[in-house]
Amino acid sequence: MDNNTHAVIMIVTVAIVTFLLRAAPFIIFGKSGNPPKSIKRLGELMPSMVMAVLVIYCLKDLHFEALSGFLPAIIASIIVVALHVWKRNPLISIGFGTALYMFLIRVI
Amino acid sequence: MKNEFRYALRRTTPVFCGYLFLGMAFGVMLENAGYGILWALFASITIFSGSMQYALVGLLTGGTGIITAAIMTIAINGRYLFYGLSFIEKFLSMGKMCPYMIFSLTDETYSLLCEEKPQDNMNEKRVFFLIASLDHVYWIFGSVLGAFLGSALPFDAKGIDFAMTALFLVIFTDQWLATKDHKPAIIGIVCSLVTLFILGPDKFIIPAMLFGIALLILTDKKRSEKGVKVNG
């Protein structure tokens, strides 16, 4: 198998499995067109929980063996939240926070 | 239509920032692995999943088999199993757009749609579709740009992927400020920290979500029972 064929097969496999994962709730609960009440309620409660998990997911590789292992990400995260509470402008919070992080990982 | 488009552009701005850089990072990685613009275009159009596309670069160069690729996709993207739960009726009501809405349900699109409230004089379904498709366009644009610039990136971009962390922090902050009920957020933090310490960084996310969902159901039941007692 040449490299290009292998690459196409890899991409198509990943694409199909990813779509099936996203489609699973619709395949399971979608047929009746009306999911059970408990599922609907869960769907309402989930977003805040999921967002918290995703934040921790992004910070999962921090380590405390050296200052450089956690300090840049922690400082930049605090600044992102503080800026966002203050200005409520996603562009400023994300742009400045990312720039600060890139600076910090080079100096700490 | 104009209204909805302008509104969706504004709503998706933070995702634009994140996807531009994250997409570029993917494009650069792919180009360095020997796969250029067309491959970036193909992968970003058909997969549309950030973390998985980073892993894909390793799959391409490693001579991996289909089964391994499929299992790895389930391990990394298993969290998508739960996202649709928030939008079953909504997406099904969108007719022809439904399959695309399911396909494009990334972490970021999910977050934006969760915050979405009906706007005056706007077709909500159209807004949903525009948010999802704009995000997709940003992602494709970023990754193609990254593959185009490749190693010739005019600056050292190490650490630019922090944009994704910042994006989730911003949405988390928005959600926190928008509600008085912080229990789901706190459950999310506690569950992910506990599972992270027990299982380690590579295996915790799906157990964290399962554990979180279980707690959401259990604690919610208690509250509604209390409500019934007060009413009775």
Side-chain angles (χ1 to χ4, degrees):
Chain A
M1 197 188 330
D2 68 275
N3 275 344
N4 283 354
T5 317
H6 179 253
V8 170
I9 292 174
M10 283 299 110
I11 292 172
V12 170
T13 306
V14 170
I16 290 175
V17 176
T18 300
F19 180 76
L20 288 177
L21 289 169
R22 285 173 177 152
F26 299 86
I27 296 168
I28 298 167
F29 298 111
K31 262 202 181 136
S32 58
N34 192 18
K37 250 191 189 155
S38 55
I39 295 296
K40 279 191 228 170
R41 177 71 183 142
L42 185 60
E44 289 165 17
L45 290 171
M46 273 187 54
S48 302
M49 191 271 286
V50 170
M51 223 45 60
V53 175
L54 288 176
V55 168
I56 304 290
Y57 179 74
C58 288
L59 301 174
K60 70 187 161 64
D61 290 318
L62 299 191
H63 63 85
F64 299 90
E65 288 139 33
L67 282 182
S68 61
F70 65 96
L71 212 52
I74 298 290
I75 293 176
S77 298
I78 292 170
I79 294 297
V80 167
V81 173
L83 264 180
H84 199 64
V85 172
W86 181 33
K87 289 282 184 189
R88 296 288 187 101
N89 182 331
L91 261 176
I92 295 178
S93 321
I94 295 174
F96 186 80
T98 306
L100 177 68
Y101 177 77
M102 292 174 74
F103 170 75
L104 289 175
I105 55 173
R106 284 165 176 78
V107 295
I108 294 183
Chain B
M1 187 67 190
K2 228 179 170 182
N3 265 345
E4 282 113 344
F5 188 72
R6 212 177 296 147
Y7 173 77
L9 269 183
R10 203 176 62 226
R11 291 279 290 129
T12 54
T13 308
V15 178
F16 174 76
C17 305
Y19 275 9
L20 185 66
F21 296 132
L22 293 167
M24 275 175 69
F26 167 70
V28 170
M29 282 163 68
L30 199 64
E31 205 268 348
N32 288 342
Y35 297 86
I37 294 178
L38 283 177
W39 290 100
L41 192 67
F42 179 40
S44 289
I45 287 177
T46 56
I47 302 173
F48 193 20
S49 161
S51 40
M52 192 54 221
Q53 285 181 232
Y54 293 141
L56 173 77
V57 179
L59 296 179
L60 291 179
T61 48
T64 328
I66 293 184
I67 304 291
T68 314
I71 290 173
M72 205 158 154
T73 310
I74 293 171
I76 292 177
N77 279 347
R79 64 186 185 286
Y80 291 144
L81 280 172
F82 312 113
Y83 289 2
L85 293 177
S86 304
F87 295 108
I88 293 174
E89 285 173 292
K90 180 59 120 197
F91 286 4
L92 286 175
S93 76
M94 292 177 70
K96 277 182 193 164
M97 292 183 257
C98 178
Y100 182 77
M101 294 307 295
I102 295 173
F103 157 78
S104 57
L105 199 54
T106 61
D107 298 323
E108 293 76 12
T109 302
Y110 173 78
S111 318
L112 290 181
L113 295 184
C114 285
E115 282 196 297
E116 200 45 48
K117 292 183 182 66
Q119 303 291 317
D120 291 340
N121 305 321
M122 284 188 212
N123 180 327
E124 201 189 7
K125 288 171 190 170
R126 213 177 278 161
V127 169
F128 264 55
F129 181 76
L130 283 170
I131 287 177
S133 47
L134 279 173
D135 284 354
H136 195 189
V137 169
Y138 302 153
W139 177 249
I140 295 167
F141 176 70
S143 56
V144 168
L145 188 63
F148 174 69
L149 294 172
S151 328
L153 212 60
F155 55 97
D156 173 13
K158 186 167 172 269
I160 206 159
D161 52 335
F162 188 79
M164 179 153 97
T165 313
L167 178 65
F168 292 136
L169 277 168
V170 159
I171 294 166
F172 179 81
T173 309
D174 273 335
Q175 287 183 345
W176 185 278
L177 296 173
T179 176
K180 276 183 187 156
D181 182 15
H182 299 312
K183 204 179 55 193
I186 293 167
I187 286 177
I189 293 173
V190 172
C191 288
S192 32
L193 286 179
V194 169
T195 48
L196 175 61
F197 284 121
I198 297 173
L199 300 169
D202 297 328
K203 290 177 191 154
F204 84 99
I205 189 159
I206 294 172
M209 294 235 179
L210 286 173
F211 191 18
I213 287 174
L215 277 180
L216 283 180
I217 295 171
L218 288 173
T219 53
D220 192 49
K221 210 175 177 185
K222 241 179 229 167
R223 197 172 49 187
S224 60
E225 273 168 9
K226 256 184 225 160
V228 170
K229 264 177 208 162
V230 172
N231 290 335

